[in-house]
Amino acid sequence: MSPLGPAGAHPTPAEPLSRSIFRKFLLMLCSLLTSLYVFYCLAERCQTLSGPVVGLSGGSEEAGAPARGVLAGGPRELAVWPAAAQRKPWEEETPGQAVGPGGSGAGSSVAEAPPGTLALLLDEGSKQLPQAIIIGVKKGGTRALLEFLRVHPDVRAVGAEPHFFDRSYDKGLAWYRNFSKDFPTVLFANKNKNKNKNKNKNKNKNKNKNKNKNKNKNKNKNKNKNKNKNKNKNKNKNEQECQCFTFK
Ligand SMILES: Nc1ncnc2c1ncn2[C@@H]1O[C@H](COP(=O)(O)OS(=O)(=O)O)[C@@H](OP(=O)(O)O)[C@H]1O
């Protein structure tokens, strides 16, 4: 029997082939549209998400309302901090620098960038001053505290010691900010220098003790010396070391 024409009941062999191609095309089109929609939704979601440094732009929040400073995945205690706490006392001391609402000075793109942008994720906020400073006496465990804090992915710390507060304070905040451009986070002050001082003082103390035991002369002089040393001891105890860090 000869095959029927295109209007007949039996399709020609070419028809199933074109149908399967058409179905495949439809399937590909549907999957393409679906993936496009998913990408679109993800992009929109990323735009609406708060960046990790969003809190820096918290100057526009109403008084009393928590800033939008949210540490991604951070503990609740660290997750939100008041907007007032982000205003740094020294901001008004630098009139030449255009200080952003979050305390980042000139050159800091964090304050200029809207929240959720890539600028926040690309470490462009590294020029800012530290957001937090750990202050503690010598051997008070400040290093341990710092090390624990820097484990958090949103905390950055510097290992170097710029000695800003004790040696370079006169150079001003511009110098301090430039240093933190490369090492945004942990800034130490006074540590090693005072360690050596204390060691030397302890040596001298031991020498004097031995002298006092062997010699009964000049008791009054030694007493006065010891008094002065005790004063120095107390001074050293009161000296505080300072470690600064900031949030990404
Ligand atoms: N959680 C806790 N409990 C008890 N002791 C602790 C703790 N964390 C740190 N440490 C001890 O603190 C000493 C170091 O303190 P600092 O980092 O401030 O020392 S330093 O001034 O910076 O050198 C250091 O003491 P020494 O080992 O005697 O030097 C640490 O052992």
Side-chain angles (χ1 to χ4, degrees):
M1 284 183 65
S2 62
L4 294 173
H10 301 291
T12 60
E15 278 180 342
L17 189 63
S18 64
R19 276 184 192 173
S20 67
I21 290 175
F22 183 68
R23 278 179 198 159
K24 283 178 184 172
F25 176 74
L26 269 182
L27 192 65
M28 285 174 63
L29 190 65
C30 285
S31 60
L32 185 67
L33 286 176
T34 309
S35 57
L36 276 176
Y37 178 73
V38 169
F39 277 121
Y40 173 76
C41 290
L42 284 174
E44 199 171 3
R45 173 97 178 128
C46 287
Q47 276 186 344
T48 54
L49 272 180
S50 297
V53 206
V54 171
L56 291 173
S57 58
S60 61
E61 274 85 6
E62 294 177 7
R68 291 174 294 164
V70 177
L71 295 177
R76 192 168 183 81
E77 290 79 15
L78 288 175
V80 176
W81 58 93
Q86 296 171 40
R87 275 184 228 115
K88 298 169 182 63
W90 55 72
E91 283 176 0
E92 296 174 0
E93 297 171 7
T94 55
Q97 295 173 334
V99 179
S104 298
S108 174
S109 59
V110 172
E112 297 156 9
T117 58
L118 270 180
L120 302 176
L121 305 174
L122 295 176
D123 276 357
E124 290 185 19
S126 59
K127 291 178 188 174
Q128 64 187 335
L129 291 168
Q131 289 184 291
I133 301 173
I134 302 172
I135 301 173
V137 295
K138 302 244 160 278
K139 294 292 176 187
T142 50
R143 184 81 204 182
L145 177 58
L146 169 70
E147 293 301 329
F148 282 125
L149 281 172
R150 77 192 308 175
V151 169
H152 196 286
D154 289 340
V155 173
R156 293 186 299 176
V158 191
E161 301 181 15
H163 287 280
F164 172 66
F165 294 102
D166 58 342
R167 295 179 191 170
S168 304
Y169 193 76
D170 294 338
K171 293 176 184 171
L173 288 175
W175 181 87
Y176 194 35
R177 200 188 300 275
N178 280 333
F179 187 91
S180 65
K181 194 190 300 177
D182 299 324
F183 305 100
T185 338
V186 183
L187 311 172
F188 297 91
N190 305 331
K191 280 183 60 184
N192 291 332
K193 187 182 169 186
N194 289 324
K195 270 184 191 174
N196 292 329
K197 277 185 183 176
N198 289 331
K199 281 178 186 174
N200 290 330
K201 281 173 186 171
N202 286 330
K203 284 179 186 174
N204 290 331
K205 281 175 207 167
N206 291 328
K207 283 180 184 175
N208 287 329
K209 279 181 186 174
N210 292 328
K211 283 179 185 175
N212 289 332
K213 283 179 185 174
N214 295 329
K215 298 176 183 177
N216 292 324
K217 297 174 185 178
N218 300 327
K219 278 183 184 176
N220 292 329
K221 286 182 184 176
N222 286 329
K223 278 180 185 176
N224 289 331
K225 281 182 185 177
N226 288 331
K227 278 181 187 175
N228 290 330
K229 281 170 190 171
N230 286 331
K231 282 179 188 174
N232 290 330
K233 271 187 206 173
N234 292 330
K235 277 183 188 174
N236 286 328
K237 279 181 184 174
N238 290 329
E239 279 180 8
Q240 292 174 331
E241 65 181 24
C242 179
Q243 305 179 356
C244 314
F245 63 92
T246 188
F247 299 102
K248 269 184 191 174

